[in-house]
Every structure is written in C-alpha cells, then in structure tokens.
Amino acid sequence: MTLLSVRNLRVTFPTRQGTFEAVRGVSFDLGRERLGVVGESGSGKSMTGRAILGLVRPPGRVTADRMELDGQSILNLPERRMRRIRGRRISMVMQDPKFSLNPVMTVGDQIMEAYRLHAGGAKHAARDKALEMLRAVQIRDPERVMAAYPHEVSGGMGQRIMIAMMLAPDPEILIADEPTSALDVSVRTEVLNIMDRLVRDRGMGLIFISHDLNLVAQFCDRVLIMYAGRIVETLAAKDLHQARHPYTQGLLNSLPRLDAPQDRLPVLQRQDAWREGDTITQSLDTEFPGGL
Ligand SMILES: Nc1ncnc2c1ncn2[C@@H]1O[C@H](COP(=O)(O)OP(=O)(O)OP(=O)(O)O)[C@@H](O)[C@H]1O
Ligand SMILES: [Mg+2]
C-alpha cells in the first residue's frame, strides 16, 4: 500500500545568478517499507525531506505534480494544516539534532510535548511514555536526561533524544536524515532495530537518508540514488552492488574495502550527462516498484 506518493517534486531558490534547483523532478512512492536515499553531499536528500514536511522556507519554492499522504494532497498546505501532519503523521529526525531541539526547554518537556500534541492525555502518562522512549533508544539514566537541557547532552545522545521524540507520537511515516551518524555501533544497531520493528509491526513507512551505502544495502528494502537533485537510479537494496548507473557504481567503488585494501581509493569522475537523462529502474521483483 502506498503511504506517500511524490511526482515531479522541485525545490528552487532564487539566487543572484538565477534560479538554483536543489531538487529537480523527484518521483517515488513510499510503502510500508524501509526506503534508503543515498547520494553525495548537496544532492538534495535533506531538501526532499524538508519539502515533504513543508519546511522549505521562502524564498525557497516547492512545486510538484503530486504530493499525497494516504491519497490526500499535502502540497503547499497552509501552515496551520501542515502543523497537524508534521510530527504526528510524518516525523523527521533532522540531520543536526542540536539545531532541532529547543535550547531553552528540557529534554523531558520536549518529548512530552511531542507526545501530547498527538495523543493528548494527562501529563503523567506523557512522562511515562517519554521515559519509555528514552529507554528504548538505550539511554540508561532517562530520569536525569529528562531534566537536562540540550546543550548538556552529547551529540550521540542528542540524536537518540530526537529519535525518541519523533517516534513518541507513533507517526505513519518517519523521515530519518542521517539518524545514526553520531552513534557508536551498539547504539546504532539498537536504533535501527527500533525503526525496523516500527516498519514491520506497525506498518510505518521509513525514509532513511544516509551516506553509508553498506548500511543502506543491509538495512533497507529499496534504495533511491540521488545526484544533483534527481533520482538517477532506484533498485532493491539487496541488488545495490549490481547497480547499473555509473554514478552508483562510482559511489560503490570509492568505498573502502576491508577484504581488498587499496593504496588509494578511486576518485569519482562526475559527468554532466548524469545531471540529465533517465532514471534507471531495475525490473524488480520487489513489492514496491519505485522511481517512476
Ligand atoms: N536556503 C538555501 N538556499 C539556497 N540553496 C540551498 C538552501 N538550502 C540548501 N540549499 C542547496 O540545496 C542543495 C541540496 O541541499 P541538501 O541539504 O538537500 O543536500 P543533501 O543531499 O542533504 O547533502 P548532505 O549529504 O550534505 O546533507 C545544496 O546544493 C544546497 O547548497
Ligand atoms: Mg542533508
């Protein structure tokens, strides 16, 4: 079943040199799956997530032929209506948690507020839920962390707090932007497990933005590869190493390999042709044929 359907999404910014296109016609469907989004820095991954949530600030401009959540358009909704969707039905774990947490509010109050916004209810119920979510992301002394302000927690902890906060309202879709980049391996595994369970048990749709191709290949069901604001290739995660697009192949070749160490990693030679041209879609046997 399709949760989110996006066609020809574009995000543009006016600049002195003319219009800059950060996202140039992105199309995909998201089901109850783990959808990875990879691509180099500046390829438009975060901007795609922000556009879905209506978080592109003017003078940035978002257009699309379609942007639907459960069949209903969410494109350029008035802010009042978007606020009812954001954080409740679609959540986003931002790339830099330090900027996403409110610096003058304790961690506990922020998680409780996120939860009550969605579920309402009494304060003590929200407190229990907040503690439960902090424990779920492997925070060992949740009582202390609840009382802390964002600047008093480490980067990795801030990232886990964000994840707890975004998952507390039980969203239909989670957009996770580099959610595990500041986490050590054991915590990372646990955070991935939490997201995995939400997809499998509750049917959440997950958009997982990452630089880590190996991680995406292992963790996700399907992958979109972005280059210069476009999806250049879409394929099943398990087939990532058989990618056909030269850009994807280049990304894979520039990964360090433990099994076959090289003195020097090849440098990816970018080609103008990749900026245009069609999306390569493998004839997939997967449940969610992607990138249209
Ligand atoms: N407010 C803005 N005004 C103009 N251009 C912007 C603005 N915000 C982002 N951009 C540009 O949009 C492009 C896409 O940015 P985006 O943040 O989506 O990249 P990304 O793929 O998430 O990169 P990274 O992997 O580094 O996070 C970049 O070239 C960026 O410089
Ligand atoms: Mg980004």
Side-chain angles (χ1 to χ4, degrees):
M1 198 193 99
T2 301
L3 293 172
L4 180 73
S5 184
V6 176
R7 292 293 177 282
N8 197 22
L9 173 67
R10 288 172 187 274
V11 181
T12 55
F13 293 93
T15 71
R16 246 172 271 143
Q17 289 81 38
T19 305
F20 175 73
E21 297 182 281
V23 178
R24 304 185 301 136
V26 159
S27 300
F28 67 93
D29 286 332
L30 175 73
R32 302 186 184 282
E33 63 178 322
R34 296 159 301 186
L35 179 65
V37 180
V38 298
E40 66 193 359
S41 189
S43 55
K45 306 181 298 293
S46 298
M47 210 41 82
T48 299
R50 297 181 69 90
I52 292 167
L53 277 172
L55 287 174
V56 176
R57 288 190 193 90
R61 199 164 157 259
V62 178
T63 62
D65 294 346
R66 183 202 301 167
M67 189 143 80
E68 287 178 358
L69 172 64
D70 291 331
Q72 300 213 305
S73 180
I74 56 165
L75 181 65
N76 293 324
L77 285 183
E79 178 56 25
R80 189 175 47 81
R81 289 192 54 200
M82 202 60 217
R83 243 181 273 136
R84 266 184 252 151
I85 293 171
R86 201 187 295 137
R88 304 185 201 188
R89 301 187 61 195
I90 311 179
S91 271
M92 182 161 174
V93 177
M94 297 286 176
Q95 201 161 6
D96 196 332
K98 284 263 144 89
F99 292 112
S100 313
L101 293 168
N102 183 340
V104 298
M105 226 172 139
T106 65
V107 164
D109 282 346
Q110 293 185 58
I111 303 178
M112 281 156 54
E113 186 181 278
Y115 176 70
R116 290 179 80 194
L117 193 69
H118 162 81
K123 206 163 176 190
H124 63 86
R127 192 181 155 74
D128 289 347
K129 181 76 180 177
L131 286 167
E132 180 198 319
M133 290 313 298
L134 286 175
R135 277 191 208 102
V137 292
Q138 303 271 297
I139 286 178
R140 267 169 261 290
D141 41 2
E143 304 273 356
R144 186 185 66 83
V145 171
M146 288 275 279
Y149 285 89
H151 71 272
E152 298 171 321
V153 302
S154 69
M157 205 181 264
Q159 212 166 18
R160 279 181 280 164
I161 290 165
M162 275 299 290
I163 292 166
M165 197 164 119
M166 291 306 138
L167 292 178
D170 206 359
E172 289 158 63
I173 295 172
L174 178 69
I175 303 172
D177 196 350
E178 301 276 357
T180 59
S181 54
L183 304 180
D184 54 53
V185 177
S186 64
V187 177
R188 187 178 88 172
T189 306
E190 191 48 45
V191 165
L192 293 174
N193 282 339
I194 293 167
M195 291 193 282
D196 192 46
R197 279 198 295 273
L198 289 167
V199 174
R200 271 187 297 131
D201 303 345
R202 296 197 212 155
M204 187 179 78
L206 175 68
I207 297 179
F208 187 85
I209 300 172
S210 177
H211 275 113
D212 189 336
L213 270 78
N214 285 324
L215 176 63
V216 164
Q218 282 171 33
F219 177 67
C220 293
D221 301 300
R222 205 153 62 84
V223 190
L224 310 179
I225 292 100
M226 288 190 70
Y227 181 75
R230 289 179 57 250
I231 297 174
V232 293
E233 186 165 25
T234 155
L235 71 184
K238 64 173 169 44
D239 299 332
L240 191 59
H241 290 274
Q242 280 96 55
R244 283 188 297 162
H245 196 284
Y247 175 64
T248 318
Q249 289 171 352
L251 283 179
L252 290 165
N253 287 336
S254 50
L255 287 179
R257 285 182 51 177
L258 295 174
D259 56 334
Q262 291 156 293
D263 289 342
R264 232 196 252 172
L265 293 174
V267 175
L268 187 52
Q269 302 290 333
R270 291 162 182 76
Q271 286 166 29
D272 268 354
W274 300 349
R275 297 180 55 83
E276 312 308 328
D278 296 327
T279 302
I280 297 182
T281 307
Q282 290 201 342
S283 47
L284 293 171
D285 49 351
T286 48
E287 208 174 330
F288 302 105
L292 301 157

